[in-house]
Amino acid sequence: MPDGGKNRRIHPGSGRRKAAIFPKGRLLRSQETEAVAGLLGDHPRRRDMLIEYLHFIQDAEGCLPAGHMQALGEELNIPMAEVYEVASFYAHFDIVRDGEERPAPVTVRVCDSLSCMMAGAEKVIAELKKDAPETVRILRAPCMGRCDTAPVCEAGHRHLDGIDAGKVLEVVEKGHLHPEIPVYSDFKSYIRDGGYSVLKSCLSGERKVEKVVELLSGSGLRGLGGAGFPTGRKWGLVRAEAGPRLMAVNADEGEPGTFKDRHYLETNPHAFLEGMLIGAWAVEAEAVYIYLRDEYPAAREILLKEIAEVEKAGLAGHTQIILRRGAGAYICGEESAMIESIEGKRGLPRHRPPYVAQVGLFGRPTLVNNVETLYWVPEILDKGTEWFASQGKNGAQGLRSYSVSGRVREPGVKLVAAGTTARELVEDHCGGMLKGHAFRGYLPGGASGGILPASMSDIPLEFGKLEEHGCFIGSHAVIILSDRDNMKDVALNLMKFFEDESCGQCTPCRNGTEKAVKLMATGQWDPDVLEDLAGVMADASICGLGQAAPNPLRCVLKYFPEDLK
């Protein structure tokens, strides 16, 4: 018998196969079913919880064994193939098939994105791969939102800053692999300082929705996750849609060079939570989904604790707060891909229209805001529109949190006037360039925002000011480059990031980023060929990842021709 008689029997005397007594393929074992049922406990068996439950298994087992995935499919009543396609999409899930070895007990992910590369990440990776014991797995990983302390890694679920190989291995040997919680303003502290008074005035009827929307519009507050859409207008548009409505918070801060949202989540989470609850009140959202990147385990611990305090105090009675983890996919920072992921699917961007304000989470009108945008809402409503709007300069309105990293003495989150220039950030807020380095260029908006020379560092870093130069401000992630940086190497690092993070849905991005990396890696750039490829990617890709991926490449061709020789 070809299958060894394990799953089928032969009909006596007929010579023909009888219908299978057992299903084809892998047989589910009782211990696997029991293990997964125990992990899920009393949690609801809903399709949209798939990614959360995959995390349950990954956390418990250190991987995703085939049997546990099959048992999870049975629990949720979805095909094994569907479980597999979702799990295989996300970088933080380790699928282990029957007969395969499990990964090493400890995983160390070393960031190899631009700021960490400039700080020596390649040397650290090489030394760790040489010196790490067999019980430790060393992986490359994209930006972890700690660019100001580069190079960095995540050992288990603990982040280490300013690393060398010896420091990493020492921490691993001691078993210190849990997130380190920073000092932050907790619920009692926030209440003592007058926190949640604006939310309370909204819930009591003292403030009217129309007035709140008007104040936000007048302040000039915009979406600070990258798109820059006026916040008051967005709230009004979602509220105008027929209910029921939902809200989603984009805390999937994955743009290389960006770490401001993590800063606010880990220092003053309740300012964000109050703004979020005001937004849910304004659009009458039945539930708010916070989509937090998996690279922020400390922020997750903080939010779990502080959300419970908010609910205990009765401040979230008008909505339901649901915290969801990402799983290592930059594309899920795109709002429609984030929504797909919240629904338990692969993070594939949706075609537009309809827009998520009309058809978003579970087909409902959905308000999507970034962490920092919501962070400013309570203070603007408390102090008035003029207070915020008057903070800007060079035609911009409001305050901006610039994430600054690279070749400066004092990197970090710089809270300054909107419209500040790169030169001002370097000279007035970052202590100047590192010793021995001369200012040569900068990324105004992270990996996708392009690259400009230092001679153009007096352009206001604000929405609408950089587009004519082939760049954009995005999430205000500024990476400073020096005369020691080869711009072709910088652009190649960024293109490798996009190649790795492309969701693969559309050919221009999937194949375009791969082809660009191969052409750029030769060292001999053909400007005509690369520009032609860049044009196809920018014009034909479905979402912003593929459309913006050529920006650094194009900027090197345009502004740094001396590096092409």
Side-chain angles (χ1 to χ4, degrees):
M1 289 180 261
D3 60 3
K6 294 179 180 178
N7 295 336
R8 293 180 181 271
R9 298 174 188 264
I10 302 298
H11 190 281
S14 69
R16 300 176 60 187
R17 291 188 181 275
K18 187 181 179 181
I21 295 176
F22 302 109
K24 285 184 179 180
R26 189 184 187 283
L27 294 180
L28 186 59
R29 301 180 178 93
S30 59
Q31 59 265 38
E32 295 162 346
T33 302
E34 292 167 3
V36 170
L39 289 173
L40 269 56
D42 295 331
H43 291 278
R45 273 50 171 176
R46 296 203 317 262
R47 172 65 181 77
D48 64 288
M49 297 294 289
L50 175 57
I51 294 172
E52 281 296 301
Y53 295 157
L54 288 171
H55 274 300
F56 286 7
I57 299 172
Q58 179 79 32
D59 291 344
E61 298 290 328
C63 62
L64 297 179
H68 287 63
M69 293 175 64
Q70 185 178 0
L72 180 58
E74 292 290 323
E75 287 282 333
L76 300 182
N77 195 29
I78 57 178
M80 174 63 175
E82 197 168 334
V83 177
Y84 181 86
E85 75 170 8
V86 171
S88 61
F89 182 86
Y90 296 93
H92 288 189
F93 292 139
D94 295 303
I95 298 172
V96 177
R97 299 173 180 84
D98 290 330
E100 292 183 342
E101 289 188 15
R102 294 192 175 201
V106 177
T107 296
V108 174
R109 289 184 166 89
V110 184
C111 176
D112 67 355
S113 288
L114 184 58
S115 294
C116 284
M117 182 194 76
M118 293 193 296
E122 291 294 338
K123 179 183 178 182
V124 176
I125 292 171
E127 292 178 352
L128 283 173
K129 287 188 173 182
K130 179 172 67 74
D131 298 334
E134 292 183 359
T135 55
V136 179
R137 177 175 60 157
I138 308 300
L139 297 179
R140 292 174 174 271
C143 185
M144 298 179 180
R146 312 182 77 86
C147 316
D148 53 332
T149 56
V152 303
C153 76
E154 184 180 16
H157 289 298
R158 181 176 181 179
H159 284 95
L160 303 175
D161 301 324
I163 61 170
D164 57 42
K167 178 180 179 179
V168 175
L169 294 177
E170 180 182 355
V171 169
V172 170
E173 184 179 354
K174 292 180 178 179
H176 295 166
L177 305 177
H178 297 291
E180 188 173 12
I181 309 302
V183 176
Y184 67 94
S185 176
D186 63 9
F187 182 74
K188 289 182 179 179
S189 300
Y190 189 70
I191 288 289
R192 186 172 58 246
D193 294 336
Y196 288 106
S197 59
V198 177
L199 173 63
K200 290 176 182 178
S201 67
C202 293
L203 297 177
S204 68
E206 180 182 341
R207 293 179 185 266
K208 303 301 180 185
V209 174
E210 292 75 18
K211 184 62 177 178
V212 166
V213 171
E214 180 184 329
L215 287 171
L216 292 179
S217 296
S219 72
L221 180 65
R222 306 178 71 164
L224 298 174
F229 195 86
T231 303
R233 184 182 172 196
K234 178 182 283 189
W235 287 23
L237 288 172
V238 174
R239 183 174 171 80
E241 296 290 329
R245 308 178 196 93
L246 294 170
M247 182 176 179
V249 177
N250 192 337
D252 192 60
E253 181 182 46
E255 183 75 16
T258 310
F259 45 91
K260 62 185 177 62
D261 287 352
R262 179 185 62 81
H263 169 76
Y264 288 122
L265 289 171
E266 293 184 354
T267 57
N268 192 10
H270 286 283
F272 149 67
L273 288 172
E274 183 174 9
M276 178 191 78
L277 290 169
I278 292 170
W281 162 80
V283 301
E284 298 177 352
E286 292 185 349
V288 183
Y289 290 78
I290 304 173
Y291 189 83
L292 180 69
R293 68 183 311 213
D294 196 36
E295 290 85 348
Y296 288 175
R300 181 171 181 268
E301 294 297 321
I302 291 170
L303 286 175
L304 285 171
K305 180 178 182 295
E306 300 307 317
I307 288 171
E309 292 292 332
V310 170
E311 292 174 336
K312 182 180 177 181
L315 294 169
H318 60 295
T319 192
Q320 181 183 8
I321 305 175
I322 301 167
L323 181 60
R324 291 284 178 87
R325 272 189 283 181
Y330 165 74
I331 190 62
C332 291
E334 195 276 340
E335 63 177 4
S336 67
M338 175 190 69
I339 284 174
E340 289 286 300
S341 190
I342 292 173
E343 292 179 354
K345 306 171 187 174
R346 294 175 295 166
L348 302 179
R350 297 176 179 178
H351 291 275
R352 297 176 178 83
Y355 297 94
V356 298
Q358 303 163 310
V359 182
L361 264 172
F362 309 112
R364 298 182 180 183
T366 303
L367 173 64
V368 177
N369 278 136
N370 159 263
V371 169
E372 192 198 355
T373 305
L374 296 170
Y375 177 89
W376 290 114
V377 168
E379 199 164 5
I380 290 172
L381 296 180
D382 181 46
K383 295 182 178 179
T385 58
E386 182 60 27
W387 166 79
F388 189 76
S390 63
Q391 304 279 350
K393 60 193 299 185
N394 296 321
Q397 290 182 303
L399 293 166
R400 291 289 183 272
S401 304
Y402 294 93
S403 304
V404 187
S405 63
R407 310 295 193 181
V408 291
R409 292 177 184 268
E410 301 169 10
V413 176
K414 308 299 176 180
L415 180 59
V416 296
T420 294
T421 68
R423 188 179 303 280
E424 290 170 330
L425 285 174
V426 172
E427 296 177 356
D428 301 337
H429 303 285
C430 294
M433 297 292 292
L434 286 172
K435 185 177 180 180
H437 290 259
F439 187 18
R440 188 182 179 211
Y442 66 104
L443 279 67
S448 55
I451 310 172
L452 291 173
S455 60
M456 300 174 67
S457 61
D458 292 318
I459 302 170
L461 297 175
E462 180 55 9
F463 299 108
K465 302 291 186 179
L466 298 160
E467 282 75 4
E468 63 180 294
H469 306 292
C471 299
F472 57 80
I473 189 60
S475 57
H476 296 76
V478 182
I479 303 177
I480 304 299
L481 308 171
S482 78
D483 56 341
R484 299 191 186 183
D485 296 311
N486 181 286
M487 296 304 169
K488 288 200 301 184
D489 293 339
V490 169
L492 178 57
N493 177 277
L494 299 174
M495 190 61 76
K496 285 181 177 178
F497 169 80
F498 290 123
E499 177 192 23
D500 187 58
E501 295 295 333
S502 173
C503 74
Q505 181 178 190
C506 68
T507 302
C509 177
R510 180 184 66 248
N511 290 3
T513 52
E514 179 184 11
K515 184 65 174 178
V517 165
K518 289 180 179 178
L519 292 173
M520 295 165 71
T522 64
Q524 299 297 317
W525 287 20
D526 185 323
D528 292 334
V529 172
L530 287 171
E531 177 56 43
D532 182 58
L533 178 59
V536 173
M537 292 168 62
D539 293 341
S541 295
I542 289 174
C543 79
L545 189 154
Q547 294 164 9
N551 287 346
L553 161 63
R554 284 175 149 174
C555 286
V556 172
L557 294 174
K558 183 176 182 180
Y559 297 117
F560 302 94
E562 64 275 16
D563 282 18
L564 302 180
K565 299 175 183 177

